[in-house]
Amino acid sequence: MRAIAYQTPQAITAETALVDIDLPTPEPKGRDLLVEIRAVSVNPVDTKLRANAAPADGGWRVLGFDAAGIVKAVGPDVTLFKEGDAVFYAGAIDRPGTNAEFHLVDERIVGRKPATLDFAAAAALPLTAITAWEMLFDRLKVRESVPGAANAILIIGGAGGVGSIAVQLARRLTDLTVIATASRPETADWVKSLGAHHVVDHGKPLAAEVAALGIGAPAFVFSTTNTTDHLAAIVETIAPQGRFGLIDDPKTLDVMPFKRKAVSTHWELMFTRSLFQTPDMIEQHRLLNEVARFVDAGDIRTTLAETVGTINAANLKTAHAMVESGRTRGKLVLSGF
Protein backbone atom coordinates (compact mmCIF):
# COMPACT_ATOMS: atom_id res chain seq x y z
CA MET A 1 0.00 0.00 0.00
CA ARG A 2 1.08 3.58 -0.55
CA ALA A 3 2.07 5.59 2.50
CA ILE A 4 3.86 8.79 3.49
CA ALA A 5 6.51 8.55 6.22
CA TYR A 6 9.82 9.82 7.56
CA GLN A 7 12.94 8.35 9.14
CA THR A 8 14.72 11.38 10.57
CA PRO A 9 13.13 14.33 12.40
CA GLN A 10 13.73 17.40 10.21
CA ALA A 11 12.43 20.80 9.25
CA ILE A 12 9.61 20.57 6.75
CA THR A 13 11.81 22.28 4.15
CA ALA A 14 14.13 19.24 4.06
CA GLU A 15 13.74 17.09 0.95
CA THR A 16 13.21 13.92 3.00
CA ALA A 17 11.04 15.46 5.74
CA LEU A 18 8.18 13.35 4.34
CA VAL A 19 8.59 10.66 1.69
CA ASP A 20 6.27 8.53 -0.46
CA ILE A 21 6.88 4.82 0.30
CA ASP A 22 5.26 1.41 -0.09
CA LEU A 23 4.37 -0.75 2.93
CA PRO A 24 2.56 -4.08 3.41
CA THR A 25 -1.17 -3.79 3.98
CA PRO A 26 -1.83 -4.61 7.66
CA GLU A 27 -4.32 -7.23 8.86
CA PRO A 28 -6.92 -6.50 11.54
CA LYS A 29 -6.83 -8.45 14.79
CA GLY A 30 -8.88 -8.25 17.98
CA ARG A 31 -11.12 -5.16 17.92
CA ASP A 32 -9.29 -3.53 15.00
CA LEU A 33 -10.90 -2.18 11.85
CA LEU A 34 -8.96 -2.07 8.59
CA VAL A 35 -10.02 1.25 7.06
CA GLU A 36 -9.48 2.32 3.46
CA ILE A 37 -8.49 5.96 3.89
CA ARG A 38 -10.42 8.46 1.79
CA ALA A 39 -9.35 11.73 3.48
CA VAL A 40 -7.08 12.96 6.27
CA SER A 41 -6.47 16.26 7.99
CA VAL A 42 -3.28 17.69 9.47
CA ASN A 43 -2.95 18.73 13.11
CA PRO A 44 -0.19 20.43 15.11
CA VAL A 45 0.65 17.05 16.67
CA ASP A 46 1.70 15.81 13.21
CA THR A 47 4.18 18.65 12.79
CA LYS A 48 5.56 18.33 16.32
CA LEU A 49 6.19 14.60 15.94
CA ARG A 50 7.74 14.97 12.48
CA ALA A 51 10.14 17.64 13.73
CA ASN A 52 11.11 16.01 17.02
CA ALA A 53 10.30 12.29 17.35
CA ALA A 54 12.74 9.80 15.84
CA PRO A 55 11.14 6.51 14.69
CA ALA A 56 12.14 3.41 16.63
CA ASP A 57 15.15 1.49 15.29
CA GLY A 58 15.62 3.92 12.42
CA GLY A 59 12.54 2.62 10.63
CA TRP A 60 9.76 4.52 8.88
CA ARG A 61 7.12 6.38 10.87
CA VAL A 62 3.77 7.04 9.26
CA LEU A 63 2.03 10.06 10.76
CA GLY A 64 -1.61 11.13 10.54
CA PHE A 65 -4.44 10.96 13.04
CA ASP A 66 -7.66 12.42 11.65
CA ALA A 67 -9.22 10.25 8.97
CA ALA A 68 -12.44 9.34 7.21
CA GLY A 69 -12.85 6.20 5.16
CA ILE A 70 -14.55 2.85 4.54
CA VAL A 71 -14.19 -0.28 6.66
CA LYS A 72 -12.62 -2.96 4.44
CA ALA A 73 -12.17 -5.72 7.03
CA VAL A 74 -12.70 -6.29 10.74
CA GLY A 75 -10.92 -8.20 13.50
CA PRO A 76 -12.57 -11.24 15.11
CA ASP A 77 -13.70 -9.33 18.22
CA VAL A 78 -15.32 -6.36 16.45
CA THR A 79 -18.98 -5.72 17.35
CA LEU A 80 -19.60 -2.06 16.51
CA PHE A 81 -18.93 -1.95 12.74
CA LYS A 82 -19.01 -4.10 9.64
CA GLU A 83 -17.33 -4.12 6.25
CA GLY A 84 -18.55 -1.25 4.09
CA ASP A 85 -19.34 1.15 6.95
CA ALA A 86 -18.26 4.77 6.49
CA VAL A 87 -16.33 5.97 9.55
CA PHE A 88 -14.33 8.86 10.95
CA TYR A 89 -11.84 8.94 13.82
CA ALA A 90 -8.62 10.44 15.22
CA GLY A 91 -6.43 7.37 15.72
CA ALA A 92 -3.87 6.62 18.43
CA ILE A 93 -0.49 8.20 19.06
CA ASP A 94 1.29 4.89 19.72
CA ARG A 95 0.28 3.18 16.45
CA PRO A 96 1.08 3.82 12.74
CA GLY A 97 -0.87 6.77 11.38
CA THR A 98 -3.48 7.47 8.75
CA ASN A 99 -1.22 8.83 6.00
CA ALA A 100 -1.55 5.52 4.16
CA GLU A 101 -4.00 3.78 1.86
CA PHE A 102 -5.10 1.41 4.64
CA HIS A 103 -5.05 1.87 8.41
CA LEU A 104 -5.73 -0.19 11.53
CA VAL A 105 -7.73 1.42 14.34
CA ASP A 106 -9.48 0.12 17.45
CA GLU A 107 -13.26 0.28 16.96
CA ARG A 108 -13.72 1.85 20.41
CA ILE A 109 -12.29 5.18 19.19
CA VAL A 110 -14.18 5.23 15.88
CA GLY A 111 -17.50 6.87 15.03
CA ARG A 112 -19.88 6.63 12.11
CA LYS A 113 -19.17 9.29 9.48
CA PRO A 114 -21.78 12.05 9.39
CA ALA A 115 -24.11 11.15 6.53
CA THR A 116 -24.41 14.78 5.40
CA LEU A 117 -20.66 15.29 4.94
CA ASP A 118 -18.29 14.02 2.28
CA PHE A 119 -15.09 12.30 3.42
CA ALA A 120 -12.98 15.48 3.29
CA ALA A 121 -15.37 17.49 5.44
CA ALA A 122 -15.70 14.61 7.89
CA ALA A 123 -11.92 14.15 8.20
CA ALA A 124 -11.59 17.71 9.49
CA LEU A 125 -13.52 16.95 12.66
CA PRO A 126 -12.49 13.99 14.85
CA LEU A 127 -9.31 15.04 16.70
CA THR A 128 -10.50 18.56 17.37
CA ALA A 129 -14.02 17.46 18.27
CA ILE A 130 -12.75 14.88 20.76
CA THR A 131 -10.30 17.36 22.25
CA ALA A 132 -12.87 20.14 22.59
CA TRP A 133 -15.62 17.82 23.89
CA GLU A 134 -13.41 16.16 26.50
CA MET A 135 -12.07 19.52 27.67
CA LEU A 136 -15.47 21.17 27.95
CA PHE A 137 -17.48 18.33 29.45
CA ASP A 138 -15.00 15.91 31.05
CA ARG A 139 -12.26 18.25 32.32
CA LEU A 140 -13.77 21.73 32.82
CA LYS A 141 -17.27 20.36 33.49
CA VAL A 142 -18.79 23.52 32.07
CA ARG A 143 -22.33 22.43 32.88
CA GLU A 144 -21.48 22.83 36.59
CA SER A 145 -21.56 26.55 37.43
CA VAL A 146 -18.95 28.48 39.43
CA PRO A 147 -20.55 30.51 42.26
CA GLY A 148 -20.42 34.24 41.60
CA ALA A 149 -18.73 33.90 38.22
CA ALA A 150 -20.07 35.07 34.88
CA ASN A 151 -21.60 32.08 33.11
CA ALA A 152 -19.06 32.47 30.34
CA ILE A 153 -16.07 30.76 28.74
CA LEU A 154 -13.06 32.44 27.20
CA ILE A 155 -11.59 30.35 24.35
CA ILE A 156 -8.09 31.50 23.45
CA GLY A 157 -7.28 30.75 19.82
CA GLY A 158 -10.88 30.55 18.69
CA ALA A 159 -10.11 30.32 14.97
CA GLY A 160 -7.78 27.32 15.19
CA GLY A 161 -8.83 23.72 14.68
CA VAL A 162 -9.76 22.98 18.30
CA GLY A 163 -11.06 26.49 18.93
CA SER A 164 -13.34 26.29 15.91
CA ILE A 165 -15.17 23.25 17.23
CA ALA A 166 -15.02 24.34 20.88
CA VAL A 167 -16.86 27.55 20.00
CA GLN A 168 -19.61 25.56 18.30
CA LEU A 169 -19.97 22.98 21.07
CA ALA A 170 -20.08 25.63 23.78
CA ARG A 171 -22.63 27.71 21.86
CA ARG A 172 -24.90 24.85 20.78
CA LEU A 173 -24.75 22.54 23.80
CA THR A 174 -24.50 24.92 26.77
CA ASP A 175 -25.98 28.22 27.94
CA LEU A 176 -22.53 29.79 28.31
CA THR A 177 -21.64 33.17 26.90
CA VAL A 178 -18.86 32.32 24.45
CA ILE A 179 -15.92 34.71 24.21
CA ALA A 180 -13.32 33.76 21.62
CA THR A 181 -10.03 35.37 20.69
CA ALA A 182 -8.83 36.20 17.18
CA SER A 183 -6.28 38.72 15.95
CA ARG A 184 -7.05 39.25 12.26
CA PRO A 185 -10.25 40.40 10.52
CA GLU A 186 -10.64 37.11 8.62
CA THR A 187 -10.22 34.98 11.76
CA ALA A 188 -12.55 37.23 13.75
CA ASP A 189 -15.19 36.83 11.04
CA TRP A 190 -14.66 33.04 11.06
CA VAL A 191 -15.16 32.83 14.83
CA LYS A 192 -18.28 34.99 14.70
CA SER A 193 -19.72 32.76 11.98
CA LEU A 194 -19.21 29.74 14.25
CA GLY A 195 -21.37 31.31 16.95
CA ALA A 196 -19.12 33.23 19.36
CA HIS A 197 -21.07 35.89 21.26
CA HIS A 198 -17.98 38.09 21.57
CA VAL A 199 -14.60 38.20 19.83
CA VAL A 200 -11.60 39.86 21.48
CA ASP A 201 -8.11 40.46 20.13
CA HIS A 202 -5.42 38.34 21.78
CA GLY A 203 -2.82 40.63 20.23
CA LYS A 204 -3.92 43.32 22.69
CA PRO A 205 -3.91 43.20 26.52
CA LEU A 206 -6.29 40.28 26.93
CA ALA A 207 -7.55 40.96 30.45
CA ALA A 208 -8.54 44.49 29.47
CA GLU A 209 -10.24 43.22 26.31
CA VAL A 210 -12.40 40.81 28.33
CA ALA A 211 -13.12 43.33 31.11
CA ALA A 212 -14.34 45.83 28.50
CA LEU A 213 -17.16 43.46 27.58
CA GLY A 214 -18.76 44.26 30.94
CA ILE A 215 -20.04 40.75 31.62
CA GLY A 216 -17.83 39.98 34.62
CA ALA A 217 -15.11 37.42 35.25
CA PRO A 218 -15.67 34.23 33.21
CA ALA A 219 -16.04 30.95 35.06
CA PHE A 220 -13.97 29.05 32.49
CA VAL A 221 -10.90 29.69 30.34
CA PHE A 222 -9.82 27.25 27.62
CA SER A 223 -6.39 28.02 26.16
CA THR A 224 -5.65 26.23 22.89
CA THR A 225 -2.36 27.96 22.02
CA ASN A 226 0.39 30.25 23.31
CA THR A 227 -0.62 29.68 26.93
CA THR A 228 2.67 31.02 28.27
CA ASP A 229 2.10 34.36 26.55
CA HIS A 230 -1.37 34.74 28.02
CA LEU A 231 -0.96 33.18 31.47
CA ALA A 232 -0.79 36.43 33.45
CA ALA A 233 -3.90 37.71 31.67
CA ILE A 234 -5.71 34.43 32.35
CA VAL A 235 -4.90 34.70 36.06
CA GLU A 236 -6.26 38.24 36.09
CA THR A 237 -9.34 37.44 34.01
CA ILE A 238 -10.71 34.19 35.42
CA ALA A 239 -13.24 34.19 38.27
CA PRO A 240 -12.32 32.98 41.76
CA GLN A 241 -12.84 29.21 41.94
CA GLY A 242 -12.92 29.13 38.16
CA ARG A 243 -11.60 26.30 36.02
CA PHE A 244 -8.75 26.67 33.53
CA GLY A 245 -7.86 24.17 30.80
CA LEU A 246 -5.06 24.00 28.24
CA ILE A 247 -3.90 21.70 25.44
CA ASP A 248 -0.63 23.18 24.19
CA ASP A 249 2.90 22.42 25.42
CA PRO A 250 4.44 25.26 27.41
CA LYS A 251 8.05 24.53 28.42
CA THR A 252 7.05 25.38 31.97
CA LEU A 253 3.71 26.23 33.53
CA ASP A 254 3.72 28.18 36.78
CA VAL A 255 0.29 27.60 38.32
CA MET A 256 1.16 29.24 41.64
CA PRO A 257 -0.52 32.55 40.67
CA PHE A 258 -3.83 30.64 40.50
CA LYS A 259 -3.64 29.70 44.18
CA ARG A 260 -5.09 32.98 45.49
CA LYS A 261 -8.20 32.44 43.39
CA ALA A 262 -8.32 28.67 44.03
CA VAL A 263 -8.45 28.11 40.27
CA SER A 264 -8.16 24.48 39.15
CA THR A 265 -5.97 23.56 36.17
CA HIS A 266 -6.94 20.85 33.68
CA TRP A 267 -4.94 19.20 30.91
CA GLU A 268 -6.57 17.53 27.94
CA LEU A 269 -4.88 15.01 25.67
CA MET A 270 -7.31 13.14 23.47
CA PHE A 271 -4.86 10.24 23.09
CA THR A 272 -4.92 9.40 26.81
CA ARG A 273 -7.81 6.94 26.63
CA SER A 274 -6.30 4.91 23.78
CA LEU A 275 -2.71 5.20 25.06
CA PHE A 276 -3.62 3.74 28.45
CA GLN A 277 -6.53 1.55 27.24
CA THR A 278 -8.70 3.14 29.93
CA PRO A 279 -11.91 1.36 30.97
CA ASP A 280 -13.93 4.19 29.44
CA MET A 281 -12.09 4.15 26.11
CA ILE A 282 -15.36 3.49 24.27
CA GLU A 283 -16.55 6.96 25.27
CA GLN A 284 -14.72 8.30 22.20
CA HIS A 285 -16.85 6.05 19.98
CA ARG A 286 -19.99 7.40 21.64
CA LEU A 287 -18.71 10.98 21.52
CA LEU A 288 -17.99 10.83 17.79
CA ASN A 289 -21.43 9.35 17.12
CA GLU A 290 -22.93 12.28 19.03
CA VAL A 291 -20.87 14.72 16.96
CA ALA A 292 -22.10 13.00 13.78
CA ARG A 293 -25.68 13.31 15.01
CA PHE A 294 -25.26 17.03 15.71
CA VAL A 295 -23.64 17.57 12.31
CA ASP A 296 -26.46 15.75 10.50
CA ALA A 297 -29.02 17.80 12.45
CA GLY A 298 -27.34 21.02 11.33
CA ASP A 299 -26.23 22.00 14.84
CA ILE A 300 -22.48 21.72 14.14
CA ARG A 301 -20.66 22.35 10.89
CA THR A 302 -17.38 21.03 9.61
CA THR A 303 -14.31 23.14 10.33
CA LEU A 304 -12.72 22.30 6.97
CA ALA A 305 -11.07 25.48 5.73
CA GLU A 306 -9.01 24.26 2.78
CA THR A 307 -8.35 21.07 0.80
CA VAL A 308 -4.64 20.97 -0.01
CA GLY A 309 -4.79 18.17 -2.61
CA THR A 310 -4.45 14.41 -2.76
CA ILE A 311 -2.63 12.45 -0.06
CA ASN A 312 1.05 12.40 -1.02
CA ALA A 313 4.34 13.60 0.42
CA ALA A 314 4.47 16.87 -1.52
CA ASN A 315 0.99 17.97 -0.46
CA LEU A 316 1.51 16.85 3.13
CA LYS A 317 4.70 18.93 3.26
CA THR A 318 2.69 21.93 2.08
CA ALA A 319 0.05 21.31 4.74
CA HIS A 320 2.65 20.86 7.50
CA ALA A 321 4.27 24.16 6.54
CA MET A 322 0.90 25.90 6.62
CA VAL A 323 0.10 24.52 10.08
CA GLU A 324 3.55 25.51 11.35
CA SER A 325 2.95 29.09 10.20
CA GLY A 326 0.40 29.48 12.99
CA ARG A 327 -1.85 31.50 10.70
CA THR A 328 -4.34 28.91 9.52
CA ARG A 329 -8.01 28.91 10.45
CA GLY A 330 -10.04 25.76 10.76
CA LYS A 331 -8.58 22.56 9.33
CA LEU A 332 -6.46 21.58 6.32
CA VAL A 333 -7.53 18.37 4.58
CA LEU A 334 -6.05 16.05 1.94
CA SER A 335 -8.40 13.81 0.02
CA GLY A 336 -7.78 10.58 -1.93
CA PHE A 337 -4.61 8.92 -3.22
Side-chain angles (χ1 to χ4, degrees), residues 123-142:
L125 286 171
L127 187 147
T128 55
I130 295 170
T131 300
W133 186 294
E134 289 185 347
M135 176 59 86
L136 293 174
F137 303 117
D138 296 342
R139 316 293 175 232
L140 295 179
K141 298 187 184 301
V142 296

Side-chain angles (χ1 to χ4, degrees), residues 61-147:
R61 179 161 188 176
V62 179
L63 293 173
F65 298 99
D66 276 328
I70 299 290
V71 176
K72 300 301 289 184
V74 301
D77 300 326
V78 166
T79 62
L80 303 174
F81 297 96
K82 64 183 185 304
E83 185 177 335
D85 285 346
V87 296
F88 75 147
Y89 59 91
I93 202 166
D94 57 344
R95 302 187 70 176
T98 59
N99 295 335
E101 284 187 273
F102 296 94
H103 181 249
L104 290 180
V105 61
D106 190 300
E107 65 171 347
R108 290 170 291 178
I109 59 173
V110 176
R112 69 165 186 87
K113 183 184 77 68
T116 55
L117 296 183
D118 62 18
F119 288 100
L125 286 171
L127 187 147
T128 55
I130 295 170
T131 300
W133 186 294
E134 289 185 347
M135 176 59 86
L136 293 174
F137 303 117
D138 296 342
R139 316 293 175 232
L140 295 179
K141 298 187 184 301
V142 296
R143 291 183 173 127
E144 298 177 15
S145 62
V146 173

Side-chain angles (χ1 to χ4, degrees), residues 264-283:
S264 58
T265 301
H266 303 263
W267 288 96
E268 162 59 20
L269 180 68
M270 62 131 286
F271 298 119
T272 296
R273 280 172 160 149
S274 59
L275 187 61
F276 292 96
Q277 298 281 298
T278 61
D280 64 349
M281 183 171 160
I282 199 169
E283 287 303 314

Side-chain angles (χ1 to χ4, degrees), residues 57-277:
D57 302 321
W60 292 104
R61 179 161 188 176
V62 179
L63 293 173
F65 298 99
D66 276 328
I70 299 290
V71 176
K72 300 301 289 184
V74 301
D77 300 326
V78 166
T79 62
L80 303 174
F81 297 96
K82 64 183 185 304
E83 185 177 335
D85 285 346
V87 296
F88 75 147
Y89 59 91
I93 202 166
D94 57 344
R95 302 187 70 176
T98 59
N99 295 335
E101 284 187 273
F102 296 94
H103 181 249
L104 290 180
V105 61
D106 190 300
E107 65 171 347
R108 290 170 291 178
I109 59 173
V110 176
R112 69 165 186 87
K113 183 184 77 68
T116 55
L117 296 183
D118 62 18
F119 288 100
L125 286 171
L127 187 147
T128 55
I130 295 170
T131 300
W133 186 294
E134 289 185 347
M135 176 59 86
L136 293 174
F137 303 117
D138 296 342
R139 316 293 175 232
L140 295 179
K141 298 187 184 301
V142 296
R143 291 183 173 127
E144 298 177 15
S145 62
V146 173
N151 189 39
I153 184 168
L154 171 64
I155 300 173
I156 298 172
V162 173
S164 292
I165 193 68
V167 167
Q168 295 186 75
L169 291 175
R171 181 62 190 267
R172 306 295 188 273
L173 305 184
T174 78
D175 61 354
L176 292 168
T177 297
V178 180
I179 310 162
T181 79
S183 60
R184 306 192 310 274
E186 60 269 30
T187 53
D189 289 344
W190 170 264
V191 171
K192 289 176 185 175
S193 75
L194 296 173
H197 294 94
H198 304 283
V199 180
V200 297
D201 187 346
H202 54 241
K204 298 177 180 178
L206 189 55
E209 288 277 293
V210 175
L213 299 175
I215 63 175
F220 312 103
V221 175
F222 178 9
S223 179
T224 72
T225 186
N226 296 319
T227 296
T228 301
D229 296 340
H230 302 299
L231 192 61
I234 293 167
V235 172
E236 182 179 350
T237 299
I238 197 168
Q241 302 186 92
R243 297 192 280 276
F244 163 59
L246 70 158
I247 60 171
D248 61 330
D249 301 298
K251 291 182 179 179
T252 60
L253 183 70
D254 181 9
V255 297
M256 284 302 296
F258 286 123
K259 181 177 180 179
R260 186 165 178 264
K261 285 186 172 180
V263 168
S264 58
T265 301
H266 303 263
W267 288 96
E268 162 59 20
L269 180 68
M270 62 131 286
F271 298 119
T272 296
R273 280 172 160 149
S274 59
L275 187 61
F276 292 96
Q277 298 281 298

Side-chain angles (χ1 to χ4, degrees), residues 259-337:
K259 181 177 180 179
R260 186 165 178 264
K261 285 186 172 180
V263 168
S264 58
T265 301
H266 303 263
W267 288 96
E268 162 59 20
L269 180 68
M270 62 131 286
F271 298 119
T272 296
R273 280 172 160 149
S274 59
L275 187 61
F276 292 96
Q277 298 281 298
T278 61
D280 64 349
M281 183 171 160
I282 199 169
E283 287 303 314
Q284 291 192 346
H285 162 71
R286 296 172 180 146
L287 182 165
L288 287 172
N289 281 348
E290 279 292 280
V291 170
R293 184 172 68 84
F294 288 126
V295 168
D296 289 341
D299 295 321
I300 294 172
R301 78 186 206 206
T302 181
T303 53
L304 167 62
E306 185 175 346
T307 300
V308 183
T310 56
I311 306 169
N312 60 41
N315 289 335
L316 273 169
K317 288 176 72 174
T318 297
H320 276 231
M322 293 170 71
V323 169
E324 288 179 342
S325 76
R327 296 181 64 81
T328 57
R329 60 178 177 85
K331 295 298 293 295
L332 304 175
V333 172
L334 293 86
S335 183
F337 278 86

